[in-house]
Amino acid sequence: MARAARSRTPRPDPPGRLRLRFPGPRRPGRRSRPAAPGPPGAGRRSPTVRRAAPGAAPGPSTGPYARALGLLAVSVLGAWLGLLALGGVRAPVGPVDTSMALRPSLAGGTRITVPPLGDLELDSHAAPIRLDVDVDRLDPARSAELVDHPERFAGLQAQVTHDVLRGAAGLVVASCAAAVCGATALGLVVYRRPRRALAAGGLALALLTASGVTAYATWNPQSVLEPRFSGLLSSAPSVVGNARSIVSEFDVYQKELARLVTNVSKLYDTASTLPAYQPDPTTLRVLHVSDIHLNPASWHLIASLVKQYRIDVIIDTGDTMDHGSAAENHFLDPASTLGAPYVWVRGNHDSRGTQRYLTARKHVTVLDGGRVAQVAGVRIAGVGDPQFTPDRSVAPAGDAAERTAGGRLADALRTQRLAGTPVDIALAHNPTAVTETDGLVPLALAGHVHHREITTLPQGTRLMVEGSTGGGGLRAVQDKQPAPVQASVLYLDRTTKRLQAWDEITLGGLGLTRAEVSRHLPRENRPAPPGGTPSAGPSATASDGPG
């Protein structure tokens, strides 16, 4: 009995063998017995473990590489969606409001959008993120502060640098938060496990940080010298070359432009085969310019024409400025050094402050309210534009205001005629105003419309409207072709002050090197060729570039 009892004692399992027990149904009143030992592996099955067939590929949910790639894809996609939805910040930079954002990009770089002109792209860094900066608007309050306190322009560069750094810091914080939120949210949707979702958010933050470090390490501040233009700005390279030429060679461009006009003028003098009119040394020569619109190249052009044509007086019919702000006043300084007296009337882009500044300049005569001045032997009267509309924020008063101003000019001309001192030339910026002087003066000059118009009014006054001597200023890059640069030289009889002839100078626009000079005669001065109609006169054209 003792031996039988010992035989029921379970033997210990051999080392390295796992023994599995499966409880079965018990009979009432009986104790379960341990299973009788048998050959190793006999009658045993693993209830859960199944081995894959030799050579079979592991499933996608079990491979570590597949899981890692899936987590990476979720992190990148979630971060991208987060940046698109929440990653932008608005930041004031000097007098303008901007929007900054980081966007995924294989090429990196910086894109600056300036509505409505287009985009400016810089190869500023090599990282899988791009910095987008949108210039939204010019803040009126901050702009007014600069105008009211011109001394603040001295510190504007430091202020802009501080604003950009502050905006960039805010952008970094917002972008990190947006990337983490986007990746975490997408991780919850895909995995439905908070731990996996947090892992996706952490990986997105790590990737964004690595991209930022790469961008900082590869930052290229010289990229601003070689930008790429698109939109309306796409004509900028053909207009003024790259940014390096703007900074270092723009003065050379201005001088070359003036030299070209001088050479074309000489060509006209020597190559004209139909000298319908040859001005003698005593002829009065008036240079008519208008609508410079802050184009600095215009001063070099005017100085060249003054020297070449031996101009006696320069007449500017307004819109010399663009916004009429006090900050623009120093642009007017060359008017005193052009080599001839400068007569000016206010345009609708010139403010009263602009007029006061020019009034204090040497060799400059400002006419307004019908004032009459005798300059270089010519009696000239003028009136400033009654409207100041530098942008769309100011509602124009319309033609009625122009006609009222022209009426004041006409009253002054009648007064001078009754006094026995008639006026030779009447000036206004808007042609609508100066037409009120019809019959009271032989010659009236205007601008405003940015193209030439020459007409004889019903009462006999000749109206000459000049184009834009500044090529429309900034507007030069808004069209497919830059607006032409135009000016005219008027030849007056020194005794009668009557118009004898005029030369029209036309350049191909800002940055283009085509120039044309054509001579015209009033109908009463044209010699009729045998069997033909009187000719308007010869012209000379030269070009060493696109026209």
Side-chain angles (χ1 to χ4, degrees):
M1 294 295 293
R3 179 178 297 177
R6 284 195 300 269
S7 63
R8 293 191 183 98
T9 304
R11 298 177 182 179
D13 293 331
R17 177 179 296 177
L18 178 63
R19 185 170 183 177
L20 301 177
R21 296 182 177 89
F22 298 91
R26 296 183 180 182
R27 295 181 181 179
R30 294 190 62 180
R31 297 174 59 187
S32 60
R33 295 180 180 180
R44 297 178 184 177
R45 291 183 181 179
S46 175
T48 58
V49 178
R50 293 183 180 180
R51 295 184 180 180
S61 62
T62 59
Y65 295 108
R67 289 194 298 270
L69 289 176
L71 183 63
L72 178 63
V74 170
S75 300
V76 172
L77 180 59
W80 178 59
L81 294 175
L83 289 176
L84 288 178
L86 306 171
V89 298
R90 294 180 62 86
V93 178
V96 300
D97 291 332
T98 66
S99 298
M100 299 182 180
L102 293 180
R103 296 288 182 259
S105 172
L106 296 178
T110 300
R111 183 179 67 185
I112 303 173
T113 301
V114 186
L117 299 181
D119 296 337
L120 184 69
E121 296 186 6
L122 310 175
D123 293 328
S124 57
H125 60 275
I129 53 174
R130 184 186 70 222
L131 173 62
D132 285 0
V133 180
D134 295 341
V135 178
D136 296 332
R137 70 185 185 99
L138 185 70
D139 185 82
R142 297 198 299 272
S143 302
E145 290 179 0
L146 288 175
V147 172
D148 296 336
H149 304 280
E151 67 277 3
R152 297 185 181 180
F153 277 91
L156 184 59
Q157 182 177 357
Q159 179 65 34
V160 168
T161 302
H162 176 266
D163 291 343
V164 170
L165 292 177
R166 184 174 58 182
L171 177 62
V172 169
V173 174
S175 299
C176 290
V180 171
C181 291
T184 302
L186 187 61
L188 283 173
V189 173
V190 174
Y191 297 114
R192 299 184 181 181
R193 296 179 182 178
R195 187 172 297 178
R196 280 289 186 91
L198 292 176
L203 181 57
L205 179 60
L207 292 174
L208 186 60
T209 302
S211 300
V213 172
T214 304
Y216 180 79
T218 59
W219 185 259
N220 177 24
Q222 300 300 319
S223 62
V224 70
L225 299 179
E226 296 181 354
R228 295 186 302 274
F229 302 91
S230 62
L232 294 176
L233 285 174
S234 59
S235 59
S238 63
V239 172
V240 289
N242 58 27
R244 181 179 290 108
S245 66
I246 296 175
V247 175
S248 61
E249 299 178 9
F250 188 65
D251 185 63
V252 175
Y253 161 70
Q254 296 179 87
K255 293 178 180 178
E256 288 299 309
L257 188 65
R259 180 188 61 82
L260 175 68
V261 175
T262 299
N263 290 342
V264 172
S265 301
K266 292 180 180 179
L267 173 65
Y268 176 84
D269 287 340
T270 58
S272 176
T273 58
L274 296 172
Y277 172 76
Q278 290 292 343
D280 58 61
T282 63
T283 301
L284 282 171
R285 302 159 191 249
V286 177
L287 176 62
H288 183 198
V289 299
S290 188
D291 296 87
I292 292 175
H293 284 290
L294 288 180
N295 186 349
S298 301
W299 298 125
H300 291 264
L301 170 63
I302 293 172
S304 176
L305 293 174
V306 167
K307 181 178 180 181
Q308 174 62 28
Y309 282 87
R310 301 187 298 277
I311 296 297
D312 295 294
V313 57
I314 305 166
I315 293 178
D316 185 345
T317 48
D319 271 5
T320 312
M321 311 294 261
D322 216 11
H323 295 89
S325 64
E328 298 172 335
N329 283 344
H330 289 292
F331 172 80
L332 301 168
D333 291 346
S336 302
T337 61
L338 296 173
Y342 195 86
V343 180
W344 182 86
V345 291
R346 187 180 67 252
N348 62 296
H349 283 256
D350 305 315
S351 66
R352 300 280 180 173
T354 301
Q355 179 165 311
R356 288 191 296 270
Y357 186 84
L358 266 177
T359 302
R361 304 297 301 175
K362 293 182 178 180
H363 312 299
V364 176
T365 301
V366 175
L367 300 179
D368 193 11
R371 179 195 169 196
V372 180
Q374 182 164 327
V375 183
V378 183
R379 292 181 58 79
I380 309 171
V383 63
D385 199 301
Q387 307 183 76
F388 178 53
T389 55
D391 51 48
R392 296 180 180 178
S393 64
V394 180
D399 289 347
E402 300 292 343
R403 284 190 286 269
T404 300
R408 291 196 296 269
L409 178 59
D411 291 341
L413 297 180
R414 293 188 186 94
T415 301
Q416 294 293 323
R417 174 180 288 186
L418 292 175
T421 55
V423 172
D424 302 313
I425 302 176
L427 309 180
H429 175 66
N430 195 311
T432 302
V434 81
T435 53
E436 298 296 318
T437 65
D438 185 19
L440 299 173
V441 67
L443 181 61
L445 305 181
H448 184 62
V449 297
H450 290 202
H451 62 269
R452 287 194 182 99
E453 294 181 0
I454 300 176
T455 57
T456 300
L457 300 178
Q459 301 299 321
T461 296
R462 186 183 303 276
L463 172 61
M464 304 185 75
V465 180
E466 189 55 81
S468 174
T469 309
L474 181 61
R475 299 161 185 81
V477 297
Q478 293 182 350
D479 299 323
K480 292 182 179 180
Q481 291 293 330
V485 175
Q486 297 178 326
S488 297
V489 177
L490 314 180
Y491 300 95
L492 305 182
D493 183 273
R494 185 172 291 273
T495 303
T496 63
K497 309 302 187 297
R498 295 282 177 167
L499 181 68
Q500 301 297 305
W502 70 92
D503 288 346
E504 295 179 350
I505 296 99
T506 303
L507 305 183
L510 179 62
L512 305 181
T513 53
R514 181 180 183 273
E516 177 180 347
V517 179
S518 59
R519 180 161 294 172
H520 303 266
L521 281 75
R523 184 174 298 274
E524 60 271 17
N525 287 358
R526 298 179 190 174
T533 305
S535 172
S539 65
T541 304
S543 175
D544 58 0

